[in-house]
Amino acid sequence: MSAPLWRPSPERIAASQLTQFMRLAAERSGRAFPDFAALWRWSVEDIAGFWDAVWDFGGIVAKAKGGRVLVDGDKMPGARFFPEARLNFAENLLRRRGRDDAILFRGEDKVRRRLSWDGLHAEVSRLQQALDTAGVKPGDRVAGFVANMPEAVIAMLATASLGAIWSSCSPDFGVQGVVDRFGQIEPKLLFFVEGYFYNGKAIDCLPRLPEILKRIPSIERAVVIPYTRETPSLSGIEKALFWSEFLAPHHAREVAFAPQPFNHPLLILYSSGTTGVPKCIVHGAGGTLIQHLKEHRLHSDIKPGDRVFYFTTCGWMMWNWLVSALASEATLLLYDGSPFHPSGMTLFDYAEEEGTTLFGTSAKFIDACNKAGVQPAATHRLETLRTLASTGSPLLPEGFDYVYAKVKPDLCLSSISGGTDIISCFVLGNPIGPVWRGEIQAPGLGMKVEVYDETGRPITGEKGELVCTRPFPSMPVGFWNDPDGAKYRAAYFEHYPGIWRHGDWIEQTAHGGFVIYGRSDAVLNPGGVRIGTAEIYRQVEQLEEVEESIVVGQDWQGDVRVVLFVKLRPGRTLDAALEKKIKDRIRANTTPRHVPAKILAVPEIPRTKSGKIVELAVRDVIHGRAVKNKEALANPEALAHFANRAELAS
């Protein structure tokens, strides 16, 4: 393209927090920063100076900051940020007071609630006292089987205020999925939502609770949160009591925030678990806080009073990212349930009615809106909306076209990518820079992102492995039950010693942005040529007949052949004409090596509970290998459609 899809106005650039930060950085460093690229270079050359400036610009509340910013900065893993700091994560998120909105909540079309900053503080205070009375101490684990609702935020903040460790999953997990996660970390207390709404129906979760309590004996008490019913029966469920009962003895007062070291464990998140029992990834309080403040304020331009929405569940790292926006004094817009109930307009209705400033969602949601003909620009007044963020999978160029044509033309479209592993992003938005079609705008400040070939050589303009070659504060503290760090080092640092290999197949563009082509472990390799799966999805999913697809490599006659599975729109059939149309489109827009050797129809595509398609699981199934942990999938029954396909035997 000869021109970007969007450029910020001079007024928007001048008013941005990134521009303000550049002034602070210039004063401290004695360097001029004419553009984002110059700032990024300084941020990865003077790592200590950069993160020290982020601490001060973000106004981090702490008992002590200490004189040292970075120790052993040449080690990865092993670098330590702010080793003398003492802070509390929850104190930073509860810094604002007053009667303005802190949290808005919608549970489909069934429930609406609002909570002020004073109200949030009061509820955290009461719950903190209840947890303290229940014997929760720093380092204890508190787990949440919870919907994306205010009680989940309150429980996380109360847990963090005591220096205990929070871990959550969404209520669509089965018993085994819960045990696979929480069973490893042995929580002392469990918050448990009694049910949730999806597609207009109430789903009862309580039948799962007795078995979970039986199989995780460390849980001393289960606090049940009413949602779909006011007073469901807890008869026969030992250790269970209602949220209101748990809080009843306690009255609101000032929250006593326990200061902890910078790397004190705050959260335990989980890998997807599709290749075995999920890894328990431990994130520290200080690293999570300072990284999220950077991403929110500098990359997303979130300001006090802004209204931030992200479509997520409590089983996805984006929930933690969303909640941290409280530290920027923004209002959280929570939504739980189907984004298409009762229609594709539901989330845009929410955005319009509540004045959303940042709207976050998945690339799949954007694609689904496009195919459904949803046109918010024609039906909604989205005057306050400044940023639309997309993650979960690569946003294809046609998704960029749709957003600017059908959602809002004056908008910073921030395709972002990182992961649970770093509870943040490697590449993301730049509110003072242009948006180019199909490209993620920029590397994260303070993140020395590079693209490596197989030999460990940095490359530009070619596809390769996403790596980070300098330490950053939101690297995991470690994995749970990994005392010598062997599993942690093996996960990220074995391929290129001393360098973080993330597992994304990526290319840096001439504009300084990035394009992600999928997971590098799912890259196709026909004839020894590496092909990112997103290159094929881009072509196939533009076809009107195809709802979605999944592509894998099949070992065949000493090589690998490309196999494409398609879920067709209702009433469509995969006949010879459609198969030819698919192949012709792929061949015309990519290369002959991209063209699938086989195209097969399936009624459903398997996904994780956070909505990501599972290429590796499908690859295992077609090779007759067992999928080790089907509990990680939202629809494990879908794998049956890929097994024992006669078409793959010839």
Side-chain angles (χ1 to χ4, degrees), residues 184-200:
Q184 294 186 71
I185 67 169
E186 300 178 303
K188 191 170 199 172
L189 191 140
L190 173 68
F191 288 95
F192 192 93
V193 70
E194 53 78 27
Y196 64 97
F197 296 107
Y198 200 84
N199 272 337

Side-chain angles (χ1 to χ4, degrees), residues 56-73:
D56 293 342
F57 187 80
I60 288 179
V61 180
K63 184 175 182 181
K65 180 182 179 183
R68 295 184 296 169
V69 175
L70 180 61
V71 175
D72 293 330

Side-chain angles (χ1 to χ4, degrees), residues 424-440:
S424 56
C425 302
F426 279 120
V427 289
L428 67 169
N430 168 17
I432 66 170
V435 173
W436 293 88
R437 184 175 186 262
E439 296 184 21
I440 298 172

Side-chain angles (χ1 to χ4, degrees), residues 6 30 75 96 134 169 230 238-239 246 288 291 320 329 335 420 434 480 525 550 563 611 639:
W6 177 84
K75 296 180 181 178
R96 184 170 177 173
C169 71
E230 287 188 14
E238 295 183 15
K239 304 180 183 177
F246 192 52
T288 301
Q291 182 76 291
N320 301 280
E329 301 182 34
Y335 180 88
T420 299
W480 197 257
N525 202 23
I550 190 166
V563 179
L639 291 174

Side-chain angles (χ1 to χ4, degrees), residues 316-523:
W316 192 19
M317 64 139 284
M318 292 310 301
W319 182 79
N320 301 280
W321 192 93
L322 168 64
V323 173
S324 292
L326 292 171
S328 295
E329 301 182 34
T331 300
L332 306 185
L333 274 63
L334 308 182
Y335 180 88
D336 193 76
S338 168
F340 291 101
H341 180 81
S343 77
M345 296 296 187
T346 296
L347 299 185
F348 296 108
D349 291 344
Y350 194 8
E352 178 183 57
E353 291 165 17
E354 298 297 352
T356 301
T357 52
L358 184 149
F359 183 103
T361 186
S362 66
K364 283 294 180 186
F365 175 80
I366 292 171
D367 182 60
C369 287
N370 188 11
K371 291 197 168 184
V374 176
Q375 300 185 33
T379 57
H380 290 68
R381 295 172 64 88
L382 301 175
E383 296 166 340
T384 59
L385 187 61
R386 301 195 308 267
T387 304
L388 193 150
S390 167
T391 192
S393 59
L395 181 62
L396 301 179
E398 293 73 23
F400 282 72
D401 297 339
Y402 166 74
V403 167
Y404 283 109
K406 305 299 183 183
V407 179
K408 188 176 181 180
D410 184 15
L411 191 70
C412 185
L413 174 53
S414 297
S415 180
I416 67 177
S417 183
T420 299
D421 316 79
I422 63 168
I423 203 166
S424 56
C425 302
F426 279 120
V427 289
L428 67 169
N430 168 17
I432 66 170
V435 173
W436 293 88
R437 184 175 186 262
E439 296 184 21
I440 298 172
Q441 284 178 287
L445 293 166
M447 310 293 277
K448 187 71 160 57
V449 174
E450 298 186 61
V451 184
Y452 271 17
D453 66 13
E454 277 298 304
T455 66
R457 181 176 63 92
I459 53 177
T460 302
E462 299 176 48
K463 296 162 191 164
E465 293 278 358
L466 187 160
V467 299
C468 191
T469 58
R470 300 293 301 276
F472 52 94
S474 68
M475 295 166 63
V477 173
F479 290 171
W480 197 257
N481 293 328
D482 181 28
D484 62 355
K487 294 178 184 177
Y488 175 41
R489 289 191 299 274
Y492 310 113
F493 302 104
E494 267 190 358
H495 197 80
Y496 305 111
I499 288 170
W500 181 291
R501 173 181 176 261
H502 194 56
D504 280 343
W505 194 240
I506 192 168
E507 178 182 0
Q508 187 164 19
T509 72
H511 305 121
F514 295 88
V515 177
I516 293 179
Y517 295 96
R519 295 290 297 170
S520 57
D521 55 7
V523 161

